[in-house]
Structures are given as C-alpha cells and as structure tokens.
Amino acid sequence: MAHTHGRSPARKEPESQGFFSLTLGRKKKRDSVNALDIEARDAIEGSSAPEDIDPQSFNLEEGEERSMIDRKSRDATDVKELERVLMEWIDDVLVDQRIIVKDIKEDLFDGQVLQKLLEKLGDVKLQVPEVTQTAQGQKDKLRAVLDKVSQQLQIQSWNETKWSVDSIHSKNLIAILHLLVALATHYKAPIRLPEDVHIKVVVVKKHGGKLEHRIVDEQITSTMDQMIGGKFERDAFDTLLDHAPDKLNIVKKSLIDFANKHLDKLNLAVADLDTQFADGVYLVLLMGMLEGYFVPLHSFNLTPESFEQKVHNVRFAFELMTDAGLPKPKARPEDVANCDLKSTLRVLYNLFTKYKRN
C-alpha cells in the first residue's frame, strides 16, 4: 500500500505452491511431519487445499479447532470482484490522503487505514496514535476504531458483529470483508457489491485423537435489497428475469415506447433501456415532461462525467417522483447508475403505471 503517513509498504507473503509446499525456511520441518499431518492432508484434500498452510499447524491438542479458507473459494471470481470493488472504493474515499490499498488483508489489519476511512465516512475524529509499531499498539488502535464503528452503525454488542480486534489484526479475510461490507452498506457507498458472495471455510478439529474436518459456508453479501435493509418482497421483475427471460424484450419494448412517446417532444429517443437511463438525465427530463414542467438545468448534470454525478441525477429524479406522489422507488440510485436492469425496470414501470394514459 502506498501512502504518506510513515508506514512502509506492506510486504506480500509468497504464494503457497500446494498443500504441503514449503518455503526454504521450512524445509527442516519436513521430516517432522507425523501421521497427524498426513491425516489432515487426506481429510482436506477431499475439497481443495487451503491457502498458506504449514503442516505443523495440524499438531492440535485434543478438542482444539482450527479453520482456514478453502483455496478454490478464495480464488473464486465473485470473491476477487468483491475485494476489487471494496479496495477501489477505499481508494476513492481516501484519494485526498494519497492512500492506495493493494492488499486488503495486509493494508487494513493494523487499523491505520480503517481509522482514516471511518473518519472520512462518519465525519468524526479519533484520538489515537497516528503510527503504531507494536502489535499491542496496533490492537489498541483497532479496538478504538472498531468501538467507533459500533457507535456509528448502532451495534449494541460485539456479539452482533462478524469481526473482532483479534480477527482483523490476524488478517482474517472473512472478518475484514464483513466489516467493509457493513461500512459500505451503512454509508450508502456509490458502488455495487457483487450479490450472494459465499466463502467456504475448512474447519479441522482433533477429536478422540483423530482429526475431523467440516466445510462451513460463510455468506459475505446477500441480495442488494437485504444489504440496504429493505423489506421488499419478490415482485414481478424477479419472476420475469428468473423464470421468463423470453418475455423480457416485450416488457422492455413497451417501456421504451412509453418513454419515447414523451421524450420525443424534446427530440430525444431511447434505443437501449439497459444503459441510457443510467446517467439519470433521461429520467429527470421524462419526469418534467410527464408532470408538465421545465426542470432547471442547474438542478442536475446535463452531461455527467463521473459516477457521482450520475448518482446525483438519479437521486434527483427519485425526488421528483416522490414529489409527484409516486411511491419511493424500490431501487438505489447507485444501482440504476450501475446499469442494474432490474432496478431500471422497476423505476420505469412505476412511471408507466401512473402515466400510461397521458
């Protein structure tokens, strides 16, 4: 991670080459691998090898339990995409501080970046040391940051969270992702998180002198409605996209024809419903035509360039819809700006339902 507050860039650990691959420094341990290690390998290779595992880590005491992320799950496309989206979001929030996150575990575990992120998002100031070198100092700082997170998110107890000081400081990827998703959701980040992201965890436990293992499925993100706290029931568009995609083009054509009937008065036309409403311009102008008023150009961005400007336009269009007596759209402005088809369909269908006879 490159930043300017005195911390050297995080050093990446070498990639593991397989379940029993050893770095040069571990070669001397090879001969000490015992029957318990071999049993652990046999148990876990039934799924896929976890990442960066030292065979000695399976010398467990009776009743002791250890867990690690399944390698295939760790490298899954949606998990990588979730990491990418979250890292880019952090970079955007902290751009004025020249902070760039390159590794989500290595760069967030000590609380320094998390402190800066929370201060910017929550408009708060934490009284903590700027730089902490010792492990205990890092944990103390993390605790202060996570306590403030709980206040901001109105979390009553640590038992309600899926992260802790120890899990974040030990670079637990699942805990870090849970924390960042919670922050992004609470502060309505202008990003679209991949939906229904799951990570498989291999849990190994010594019982009766033998190693037992089980696979635990950890859900990191759910559907977008659930992530933003919505209570929306599945509607016709869920059914349409899931079970009747052949009818989708018919619905899209009807909505395009409806929009063009009114936009034609401004010499405008929609050809692609999937993308042309994403910047919010046509939504704003359409509301003006449907309600019979001119929308002042200073109220929105006629030629938006950034994602934030597009979100502003869509949000403004939503405000015009609410002012006109329409129900609050079952979509986030960020979703429409991200060309989420289901969200766009819901918004347009609400307009069609009220104004189709105009």
Side-chain angles (χ1 to χ4, degrees):
M1 178 185 68
H3 50 72
T4 59
H5 36 264
R7 185 171 147 221
S8 59
R11 179 176 61 85
K12 295 187 83 172
E13 294 290 334
E15 293 294 329
S16 171
Q17 300 300 316
F19 185 77
F20 276 98
S21 296
L22 301 177
T23 61
L24 227 63
R26 294 177 181 170
K27 274 190 174 180
K28 292 182 180 179
K29 296 181 181 179
R30 187 189 301 274
D31 294 336
S32 65
V33 176
N34 56 25
L36 212 54
D37 301 323
I38 297 171
E39 191 176 354
R41 177 195 64 190
D42 293 341
I44 296 177
E45 282 184 347
S47 55
S48 61
E51 56 174 12
D52 302 326
I53 299 302
D54 181 348
Q56 294 298 311
S57 67
F58 288 100
N59 289 325
L60 305 181
E61 300 294 332
E62 180 67 25
E64 188 179 355
E65 189 174 271
R66 198 155 296 159
S67 63
M68 67 289 295
I69 296 175
D70 175 270
R71 181 188 298 278
K72 289 181 180 177
S73 184
R74 172 69 179 83
D75 293 334
T77 302
D78 58 351
V79 176
K80 292 291 188 183
E81 176 66 9
L82 178 61
E83 288 187 58
R84 184 192 66 78
V85 170
L86 289 170
M87 287 192 293
E88 289 183 357
W89 169 58
I90 296 172
D91 292 347
D92 288 342
V93 173
L94 301 180
V95 64
D96 60 335
Q97 301 189 44
R98 300 180 183 176
I99 290 177
I100 299 175
V101 177
K102 294 183 178 179
D103 185 302
I104 205 165
K105 294 188 298 182
E106 294 293 339
D107 295 345
L108 271 73
F109 82 96
D110 63 359
Q112 195 165 340
V113 173
L114 285 173
Q115 173 203 345
K116 301 296 183 183
L117 180 64
L118 184 63
E119 287 181 337
K120 193 68 178 289
L121 293 173
D123 193 23
V124 296
K125 182 64 178 176
L126 295 176
Q127 300 302 319
V128 293
E130 184 65 20
V131 179
T132 52
Q133 299 293 343
T134 67
Q136 188 57 51
Q138 291 170 349
K139 285 188 175 182
D140 290 343
K141 183 171 186 171
L142 254 179
R143 180 169 282 103
V145 173
L146 295 182
D147 282 345
K148 180 60 72 171
V149 168
S150 294
Q151 291 178 22
Q152 293 281 302
L153 274 58
Q154 299 183 332
I155 297 171
Q156 303 300 318
S157 166
W158 281 102
N159 294 331
E160 297 179 35
T161 69
K162 295 183 179 181
W163 59 84
S164 66
V165 173
D166 287 337
S167 63
I168 299 295
H169 192 262
S170 64
K171 306 177 186 178
N172 182 303
L173 176 65
I174 292 176
I176 292 171
L177 289 177
H178 274 307
L179 173 60
L180 292 178
V181 168
L183 289 172
T185 304
H186 178 78
Y187 290 106
K188 295 182 171 58
I191 56 177
R192 180 164 186 84
L193 300 174
E195 297 188 21
D196 289 319
V197 176
H198 293 250
I199 295 180
K200 287 184 171 57
V201 180
V202 182
V203 181
V204 180
K205 182 176 182 179
K206 187 176 180 183
H207 179 70
K210 295 183 178 181
L211 290 184
E212 301 175 346
H213 87 287
R214 68 183 189 276
I215 306 295
V216 177
D217 189 69
E218 182 76 17
Q219 185 174 25
I220 307 298
T221 67
S222 53
T223 64
M224 189 56 63
D225 284 347
Q226 290 172 320
M227 282 192 280
I228 64 175
K231 303 294 184 181
F232 307 131
E233 297 180 358
R234 285 178 59 83
D235 60 15
F237 291 106
D238 291 297
T239 303
L240 179 68
L241 270 67
D242 292 346
H243 304 294
D246 54 310
K247 298 180 181 178
L248 179 60
N249 286 334
I250 298 174
V251 174
K252 288 167 69 172
K253 185 179 184 306
S254 296
L255 294 177
I256 288 174
D257 289 346
F258 162 73
N260 283 339
K261 173 184 174 183
H262 299 281
L263 291 174
D264 181 64
K265 301 167 188 174
L266 298 173
N267 293 320
L268 299 173
V270 176
D272 184 2
L273 182 144
D274 296 54
T275 61
Q276 284 186 272
F277 287 99
D279 64 9
V281 174
Y282 279 9
L283 280 178
V284 172
L285 296 176
L286 182 59
M287 278 306 303
M289 298 307 299
L290 292 171
E291 284 292 311
Y293 54 74
F294 174 77
V295 182
L297 297 182
H298 65 78
S299 301
F300 66 105
N301 299 290
L302 192 59
T303 56
E305 297 180 358
S306 69
F307 183 75
E308 288 72 21
Q309 289 176 337
K310 295 177 183 179
V311 171
H312 169 80
N313 282 355
V314 178
R315 184 175 289 116
F316 178 58
F318 282 11
E319 292 173 2
L320 297 180
M321 294 174 197
T322 303
D323 291 344
L326 285 158
K328 184 177 180 180
K330 291 183 179 181
R332 298 195 316 162
E334 293 82 1
D335 298 336
V336 176
N338 265 317
C339 300
D340 179 63
L341 178 58
K342 194 184 298 184
S343 298
T344 305
L345 288 172
R346 284 174 173 145
V347 171
L348 291 175
Y349 188 73
N350 273 348
L351 298 181
F352 176 79
T353 301
K354 178 172 182 177
Y355 299 103
K356 60 186 176 183
R357 290 187 172 83
N358 283 19

